[in-house]
Amino acid sequence: MAVPVTVPDATAAPAALTERARPVSARHFVRLKLRVMGNNFRGQGWRVAMFVGGVIGGLWFAATGFFLLAAPGLAGEPKYALMVAAFGGGLLVLGWLLLPLVFFGVDETLDPARFALLPLTRRTLVTGLLAAALVSVPTVAVLIATFGLVLTAGMLGGWAAALVAAVGVAAGLILCVAASRAVTSAFATMLRSRRVRDLAAVLLAVLAALLGPLQIVVLAAVRQADWDRLAGVARIVGWTPFGAPWTVGIDVAEGRAWAAPLKLLITAAAIGALLWWWSRSLESAMVGAAGGGTAKARSGPVGGAVRQLFPRAVGWARRDRFGALVARECRYWWRDARRRANLITIAVIGIFVPVMVNFGGASLSTADGMELATPDSSPVLASLSVIFVGVLASVTLANQFGFDGSAYAANVVAGVPGRLELRARAAAFSVYVLPILAVVAVVLAVVLGRPAWLGLLAGTLLASYGVGLAVNALISVLGAYSLPETSNPFAMNSGAGLAKGLLTVLSMIASTVAAVPMVVAAALLGDVWLWLALPLGLAYGLGAALLGTYLAGDVLDRRAPELLTAVTPRR
């Protein structure tokens, strides 16, 4: 019996080889991202809901920004068009730089580490990841919002100005995305290096300290309403990368067409420098150069090896299951770049916010006309400001199991009781947070010139932090979500950025409500509360934390398998 043999078409083989040999371009990364996003949404109703919520929020931001940026053109006010373009565009770039570090993170649907073994050039990888990053809800929202500048330029200078403004808006959007990815990638690499970690914390603290005087200067300038001076500042900002792409259309409308190519050249140079910076830090993250180092050999008896597993900060812990969990979590918080980023955020914002809240009231005018802010605080206002710090410190644990990912399976298999698990995690986290809160209380008391308020501030911080631990223990069990397996501590999966924001808001609202009794006591008891705040705040916070971990521990015992499924990344 003859077996039919299929002879391949001679013309099909070269075509297949040509298709297979076609070089990788940016469109392949975009298609891959869309496919990965679609696969992540399958069977994940909460992710679809988060994505829809993100789209609605993005459209609201886009509409609001569009009308704000188009207001000078609609009102026919060329005097304010340049200021709106320069300051609005500059704030937009700053937002893309800072918000991913502090709040939302960046979308890492395409983890760069996945491409480490593929024969892709650095240029192909960077351009492809940049193109994929442009396909997102925030970029579309920003594009719609900034088209208000195109409308303003068109109404003030005609079609030529509108066309140049559209080019500038596109360039500005690329600048925002490139700046965001370059900064988060570089900061992620820096945080993996322990030698640089302390320097990074100091620099961030200095930067946060400078934001206060900057805000005072800005508020004084707005209060004086010297629009001519602000217009001069706007022109200077327009020649920097922060404002150059957004002001080109206004320049053409005002008859300075010669400035447009120069500003576009400045923008292109800034984009090129950022992409080069991103490529360097991206390559370092992929090969793990920043985390290299030789391990020191340790010798000694077994007991000495066991003691070395416990950091000095937890030398007080018992050598049992609870102590082992505390020691493990302490090492994770010290060595994991993603967790260290949260600790630095707590340290920076914990100093900055209370000082600005308590200095935001009265002002003094000097002889030469400058206004200086002076403390206009009260026990109630001071309590409200530090409640925010305590709540913010505890909200880091709202997705504490997400840091573990699939590694949490070891605890599930070992049958670790839920109450023991949550209390050990809270104790290990407190090893780092409590000293930060103590520094916040001392600094604020010194800055306000009210050393007698130290007990009030410390007690309120402890109470708000304790109730925050209780609230977030339950939220971390019921609302956990997976984090991408990447070295970037600011990376988020598609839709998880909104989930993180909603969990943060929910946690902060619930924790603030639970800490309100401290504010009520400060308002009603007067000077007596200055002596009672510390012991009662400590008892209130400790009792709330123990009660919260007790109740959430029972829920964790019942939901451990579901929790493991929720925090395990989907491949």
Side-chain angles (χ1 to χ4, degrees), residues 91-476:
L91 290 176
L92 193 61
V93 176
L94 282 177
W96 276 83
L97 282 172
L98 300 180
L99 288 181
L101 296 175
V102 177
F103 198 72
F104 289 101
V106 291
D107 183 11
E108 284 282 22
T109 303
L110 299 184
D111 185 2
R114 305 290 185 187
F115 302 93
L117 300 179
L118 298 180
L120 298 175
T121 63
R122 183 186 301 170
R123 178 181 299 178
T124 299
L125 187 60
V126 171
T127 55
L129 291 176
L130 177 65
L134 290 171
V135 183
S136 64
V137 174
T139 53
V140 174
V142 170
L143 183 63
I144 296 175
T146 50
F147 255 83
L149 296 175
V150 178
L151 178 61
T152 295
M155 297 188 71
L156 296 178
W159 288 103
L163 181 61
V164 174
V167 175
V169 164
L173 181 62
I174 297 175
L175 176 68
C176 289
V177 176
S180 175
R181 302 310 295 263
V183 170
T184 52
S185 181
F187 202 71
T189 304
M190 179 178 62
L191 283 179
R192 289 203 317 273
S193 174
R194 296 187 203 172
R195 296 180 179 180
V196 184
R197 180 190 60 246
D198 297 333
L199 178 61
V202 172
L203 292 178
L204 281 175
V206 171
L207 178 62
L210 293 177
L211 291 177
L214 180 61
Q215 183 185 25
I216 295 173
V217 172
V218 171
L219 291 177
V222 172
R223 214 177 284 125
Q224 293 174 0
D226 190 348
W227 298 110
D228 294 333
R229 182 180 301 178
L230 289 178
V233 175
R235 294 189 186 278
I236 296 175
V237 173
W239 284 99
T240 66
F242 290 94
W246 318 105
T247 57
V248 290
I250 307 301
D251 287 329
V252 174
E254 294 181 350
R256 297 188 301 272
W258 56 270
L262 295 179
K263 290 187 175 182
L264 291 177
L265 183 62
I266 292 174
T267 305
I271 294 174
L274 289 170
L275 293 180
W276 177 84
W277 185 22
W278 183 24
S279 68
R280 296 294 177 178
S281 59
L282 185 65
E283 186 179 62
S284 174
M286 290 172 63
V287 301
T294 59
K296 296 181 179 180
R298 292 187 175 98
S299 60
V302 177
V306 172
R307 284 194 299 271
Q308 290 172 358
L309 295 177
F310 285 75
R312 295 181 180 178
V314 291
W316 48 267
R318 302 187 304 268
R319 271 40 176 183
D320 56 5
R321 186 161 54 174
F322 176 80
L325 288 172
V326 173
R328 186 201 66 173
E329 286 297 309
C330 280
R331 289 189 177 275
Y332 284 174
W333 280 105
W334 186 254
R335 295 183 176 182
D336 186 9
R338 199 193 310 264
R339 304 193 189 205
R340 281 205 304 266
N342 286 277
L343 291 177
I344 292 177
T345 300
I346 294 172
V348 173
I349 299 182
I351 298 290
F352 166 67
V353 171
V355 172
M356 291 310 305
V357 169
N358 288 277
F359 274 78
S363 60
L364 292 176
S365 298
T366 60
D368 52 356
M370 176 173 279
E371 295 187 358
L372 301 175
T374 58
D376 185 25
S377 184
S378 65
V380 175
L381 182 59
S383 299
L384 286 173
S385 63
V386 295
I387 278 180
F388 173 79
V389 177
V391 168
L392 177 68
S394 62
V395 80
T396 305
L397 297 183
N399 190 37
Q400 55 184 325
F401 294 97
F403 293 125
D404 292 358
S406 58
Y408 177 64
N411 293 31
V412 177
V413 174
V416 179
R419 299 172 186 172
L420 184 69
E421 173 94 32
L422 293 174
R423 288 176 181 174
R425 289 174 178 266
F429 183 63
S430 300
V431 168
Y432 298 100
V433 173
L434 289 180
I436 296 176
L437 298 183
V439 171
V440 170
V442 172
V443 170
L444 189 57
V446 172
V447 170
L448 293 178
R450 303 292 181 89
W453 289 9
L454 181 59
L456 167 69
L457 299 174
T460 308
L461 280 170
L462 292 174
S464 58
Y465 175 64
V467 297
L469 290 179
V471 171
N472 288 288
L474 185 60
I475 290 179
S476 65

